[in-house]
């Protein structure tokens, strides 16, 4: 029996917390490949009899890692096409006259692509970065007095935050939302695609509308007239040529899938079944290559990582660590009213993203404990679950390293780290203010 500095927590629970902290630290410091490091820690946990071997792999009994495998396979279908870039050029043709028109063209592109391309990282790499760099290069070359870095910094920040907001808005817009759904089941809460969208639509829409004005105010790019960018957008669109038969088929299939996701409760077809339907259809038509799916390192790495992370949460829960954490946080902020305490709790959760370099590890480490703490404060479980779900995405790009999308857009070289941090902090305050105004006065 070793000395336990955490009263109320079992010895095995203490062991698991220590191992978990080591795991998260190892991931953040990038000591080695995350999957390899997590498996090593799990091995230590089993050798020390902290957990059993079945607990070590309990996360793979969940449907979530396999749903992730399917949605990543679907993402490969979309990224092979020109559908995202085409959509952006269409919006630019009609709205791209000034800086705000161009901004809303980019926002609308992300809005319409997000629900059918279930990877914010894939959207950032295949749509966001090419769009921002090509537009910035064109404007700087054809509009005297506008540098590529000046317009590029504005557009890079704009796209990054559009991506994070839309990842909150649609349940199918971010892979890590599947982790959130898994945690919700622990409090007997099942959220449909439609319910998620209805709950998020008002605050997310407000954020998307005011986003260009806020970023322009912070960065002050001193840009109004962009020249004849609409004609260039149409020229670029025409150069892509007509939609191929394959692209038309892909568009039809994804439209049908989106309708099925939206009507899941009415037609009684789970999200997993709809996703499996799309994958099978693309495989049997030859659009999705089974060999390519099975040989993709990034896909299987993500599935393994997610399964192990879910196992961690299961172990922490089984050993009482999450309940212990809930008690500590509740006692710390319990002297205030329930609403004020929950506000503090949510703010803490939002800014903890500064200490993580990805959504998955952060959600795995903190979503379930913070969810349990919110419930312990007496707040309605839907309010707690959806607030933490929204903040999981909205906080994604508060720094230039906090998620792959932020890293992708920062890699363009347009934005300095200082400007990114300033924009991130302002956006954080804005998001929290709008969300809690919505929660306290409308919901």
């Amino acid at each position: 029996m070793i000395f336990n500095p955490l009263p109320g927590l079992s010895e095995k629970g203490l062991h698991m917390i220590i191992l978990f902290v080591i795991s998260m630290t190892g991931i953040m410091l990038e000591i080695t490949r995350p999957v390899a490091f997590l498996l090593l820690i799990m091995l230590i946990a089993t050798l020390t009899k902290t957990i059993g071997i079945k607990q070590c792999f309990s996360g793979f009994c969940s449907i979530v890692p396999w749903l992730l495998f399917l949605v990543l396979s679907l993402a490969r279908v979309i990224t092979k096409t020109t559908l995202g870039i085409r959509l952006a050029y269409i919006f630019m043709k009609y709205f791209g006259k000034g800086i705000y028109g161009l901004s809303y063209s980019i926002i609308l592109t992300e809005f319409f692509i997000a629900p059918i391309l279930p990877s914010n990282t894939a959207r950032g790499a295949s749509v966001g970065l090419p769009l921002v760099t090509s537009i910035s290069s064109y404007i700087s070359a054809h509009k005297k007095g506008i540098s590529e870095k000046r317009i590029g910094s504005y557009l890079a920040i704009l796209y990054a935050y559009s991506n994070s907001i839309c990842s909150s808005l649609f349940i199918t817009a971010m892979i890590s939302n599947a982790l959130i759904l898994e945690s919700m089941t622990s409090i007997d809460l099942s959220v449909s695609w439609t319910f998620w969208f209805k709950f998020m639509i008002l605050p997310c829409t407000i954020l998307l509308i005011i986003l260009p004005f806020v970023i322009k105010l912070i960065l002050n790019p001193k840009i109004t007239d962009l020249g004849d960018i609409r004609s260039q957008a149409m020229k670029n669109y025409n150069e892509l040529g007509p939609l191929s038969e394959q692209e038309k088929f892909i568009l039809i299939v994804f439209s049908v899938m989106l309708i099925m996701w939206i009507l899941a409760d009415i037609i009684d077809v789970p999200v997993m079944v709809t996703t499996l339907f799309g994958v099978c259809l693309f495989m049997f038509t030859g659009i999705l290559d089974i060999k390519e799916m099975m040989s993709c390192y990034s896909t299987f790495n993500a599935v393994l990582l997610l399964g192990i992370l879910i196992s961690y949460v299961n172990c922490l829960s089984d050993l009482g660590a999450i309940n212990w954490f809930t008690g500590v946080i509740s006692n710390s902020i319990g002297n205030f009213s329930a609403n004020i305490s929950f506000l503090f709790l949510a703010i803490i959760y939002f800014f903890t993203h500064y200490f993580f370099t990805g959504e998955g590890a952060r959600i795995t480490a903190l979503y379930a404990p913070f969810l349990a703490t919110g419930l312990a404060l007496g707040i309605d479980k839907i309010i707690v679950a959806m607030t933490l779900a929204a903040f999981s995405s909205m906080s994604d790009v508060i720094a230039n390293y906090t998620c792959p999308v932020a890293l992708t857009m920062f890699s363009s070289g347009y934005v300095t780290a200082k400007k990114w941090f300033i924009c991130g902090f302002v956006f954080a305050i804005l998001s929290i203010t709008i969300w809690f105004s919505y929660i306290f006065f409308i919901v």
Side-chain angles (χ1 to χ4, degrees):
M1 183 74 178
I2 65 169
F3 170 68
N4 188 344
L6 304 177
L9 185 64
S10 67
E11 185 177 337
K12 287 187 175 181
L14 174 61
H15 290 172
M16 197 63 211
I17 285 181
I18 293 171
L19 293 172
F20 183 71
V21 171
I22 293 172
S23 300
M24 294 301 108
T25 304
I27 291 176
M28 286 188 282
L29 296 178
E30 299 181 347
I31 293 175
T32 185
R33 299 281 186 182
V35 170
F37 191 73
L38 291 176
L39 285 174
L40 174 63
I41 299 300
M42 277 298 197
L43 173 63
I44 294 172
T46 54
L47 289 175
T48 56
K49 307 298 182 182
T50 302
I51 60 173
I53 191 64
K54 287 186 177 180
Q55 287 177 296
C56 182
F57 293 100
S58 62
F60 293 94
C61 296
S62 166
I63 198 174
V64 176
W66 311 113
L67 176 61
L68 173 62
F69 173 73
L70 295 178
V71 298
L72 285 176
S73 299
L74 287 176
R76 296 179 68 84
V77 173
I78 286 287
T79 54
K80 289 179 179 179
T81 71
T82 59
L83 293 175
I85 296 295
R86 285 177 184 274
L87 188 62
Y89 287 147
I90 291 173
F91 285 132
M92 286 168 61
K93 174 190 175 183
Y94 292 103
F95 305 110
K97 184 176 182 180
I99 186 68
Y100 292 121
L102 176 62
S103 301
Y104 288 120
S105 298
I106 292 174
I107 290 172
L108 285 171
T109 301
E110 176 65 17
F111 180 89
F112 281 100
I113 294 176
I116 62 171
L117 181 47
S119 169
N120 55 342
T121 304
R123 295 197 306 276
S126 66
V127 179
L129 187 61
L131 194 60
V132 167
T133 53
S134 61
I135 292 174
S136 301
S137 176
Y138 173 79
I139 292 175
S140 64
H142 292 81
K143 191 65 180 175
K144 191 176 180 179
I146 299 179
S147 70
E148 183 174 348
K149 189 167 185 178
R150 184 192 299 175
I151 183 66
S153 63
Y154 172 85
L155 295 179
I157 290 284
L158 177 81
Y159 178 80
Y161 284 102
S162 302
N163 183 288
S164 70
I165 296 168
C166 288
S167 294
S168 297
L169 180 54
F170 301 104
I171 201 171
T172 49
M174 186 174 76
I175 294 167
S176 296
N177 285 341
L179 270 174
I180 292 172
L181 294 178
E182 177 72 14
S183 295
M184 286 182 181
T185 60
S186 66
I187 59 170
D188 297 321
L189 182 61
S190 178
V191 175
S192 67
W193 194 99
T194 308
F195 179 86
W196 181 296
F197 178 75
K198 287 181 178 179
F199 200 98
M200 299 287 192
I201 183 64
L202 182 57
C204 287
T205 300
I206 293 172
L207 282 170
L208 289 173
I209 290 173
I210 66 175
L211 189 60
F213 299 95
V214 175
I215 296 175
K216 189 171 184 291
L217 184 64
I218 298 170
L219 297 180
N220 190 25
K222 298 178 181 178
I223 299 169
T224 52
D225 181 24
L226 300 177
D228 197 20
I229 192 171
R230 291 191 293 180
S231 298
Q232 180 62 28
M234 207 58 233
K235 178 184 176 183
N236 291 349
Y237 181 86
N238 292 332
E239 287 176 353
L240 293 174
L243 280 173
S244 66
E245 293 301 317
Q246 187 180 83
E247 286 180 323
K248 290 178 182 177
F249 178 74
I250 291 171
L251 191 58
I252 292 171
V253 172
F254 271 101
S255 298
V256 172
M257 289 178 63
L258 182 58
I259 293 171
M260 291 175 69
W261 279 330
I262 294 171
L263 302 178
D265 289 341
I266 298 174
I267 62 178
D268 195 26
V269 178
V271 170
M272 180 69 170
V273 175
T274 299
T275 309
L276 183 60
F277 157 75
V279 170
C280 289
L281 196 56
F282 288 131
M283 281 196 300
F284 282 106
T285 53
I287 295 174
L288 194 57
D289 186 355
I290 187 67
K291 289 183 179 180
E292 187 180 22
M293 288 171 58
M294 296 302 176
S295 63
C296 181
Y297 163 78
S298 61
T299 296
F300 279 97
N301 182 69
V303 171
L304 283 172
L305 183 61
L306 185 58
I308 298 169
L309 288 173
I310 292 174
S311 299
Y312 268 84
V313 174
N314 292 343
C315 293
L316 288 168
S317 179
D318 293 343
L319 296 175
I322 290 179
N323 288 336
W324 173 83
F325 180 84
T326 299
V328 171
I329 297 295
S330 297
N331 292 333
S332 300
I333 59 178
N335 295 326
F336 302 96
S337 67
N339 285 342
I340 298 299
S341 296
F342 180 55
L343 174 61
F344 286 150
L345 182 74
I347 291 173
I348 292 170
Y349 182 79
F350 197 108
F351 285 105
T352 54
H353 213 335
Y354 278 123
F355 304 102
F356 291 87
T357 56
E359 310 100 345
R362 187 272 195 105
I363 291 171
T364 301
L366 301 178
Y367 185 88
F370 275 74
L371 178 63
T373 305
L375 296 180
L377 294 173
I379 305 297
D380 180 79
K381 65 181 181 181
I382 293 177
I383 298 294
V384 178
M386 296 306 291
T387 297
L388 297 179
F391 285 6
S392 295
S393 302
M394 289 179 183
S395 61
D396 247 2
V397 290
I398 56 174
N400 60 317
Y401 60 85
T402 43
C403 77
V405 175
L407 287 168
T408 298
M409 302 313 295
F410 186 70
S411 70
S412 65
Y414 293 140
V415 193
T416 64
K418 179 181 177 181
K419 284 186 177 180
W420 199 295
F421 269 84
I422 293 172
C423 288
F425 184 77
V426 172
F427 180 77
I429 299 303
L430 193 65
S431 301
I432 292 168
T433 302
I434 290 174
W435 181 266
F436 273 95
S437 298
Y438 168 64
I439 291 297
F440 289 157
F441 302 113
I442 297 179
V443 174

